[in-house]
Amino acid sequence: MTRGRRAAFAAAALVVAACLAALGVWQLERRVWKHELVSAVDVRLHGAPVAAPGAGAWPQINAKEDAYRRVTATGQFRHDRETLVQAVTERGAGFWVLTPLETPRFTLLVNRGFVPRDKRSPASRADGNVGGVVTVTGLLRVTEPEGAFLRSNDPAANRWYSRDVAGIAKARGLGRTAPYFVDADATPNPGGYPVGGLTVVRFPDNHMVYALTWFALCALSLFFAWRLWRIRD
């Protein structure tokens, strides 16, 4: 290998090392962000519930600032317009029961909880479909548009794989509907279904592993560049 080619390869290795180092730094920054997010969510999870945000706050609602905040709302359920969304939980496969809660100001989709497949029919859990004015407390969740991985929601066939607030509101002919939904807490429903309080709050934190991997590859690239530079004609 000529000296010029060795120099070119060494320069390329240095460029690769710089890119790998940048990726490592980025993962460390992501790790800091993730820890801040976990801390913020922990505060929301254990904070006192606040009133479900009204229309004036809807444009500002986002996952970073509002997801998993404890909220409360009072109204009447429209059980005749509930939507079943396929779910896999610690209790097995089944459905989330999303029911419109009509409040004096707007309609709020409430994920009342999980039901197994043999309880998908409202008649099979009629005791749990409470009437009259109720107060719901739970966690604010951002909408899940479009569907799940490799599975798109099909409103025409009434097949739902994600909790798509806008899609469900349109399919059910709901009026002014909040752009978020609420996961109801574990307060038992009459008859035992739906089962609330099954929200999984988990944030994978593999950023340090990724950062160490990028830095290790960076070191290998630097070693390769050094070895090329040390070769004598």
Side-chain angles (χ1 to χ4, degrees), residues 180-191:
Y180 58 88
F181 66 95
V182 171
D183 277 348
D185 63 17
T187 301
N189 286 304

Side-chain angles (χ1 to χ4, degrees), residues 49-62:
V50 299
W58 292 350
Q60 288 77 45
I61 290 177
N62 61 82

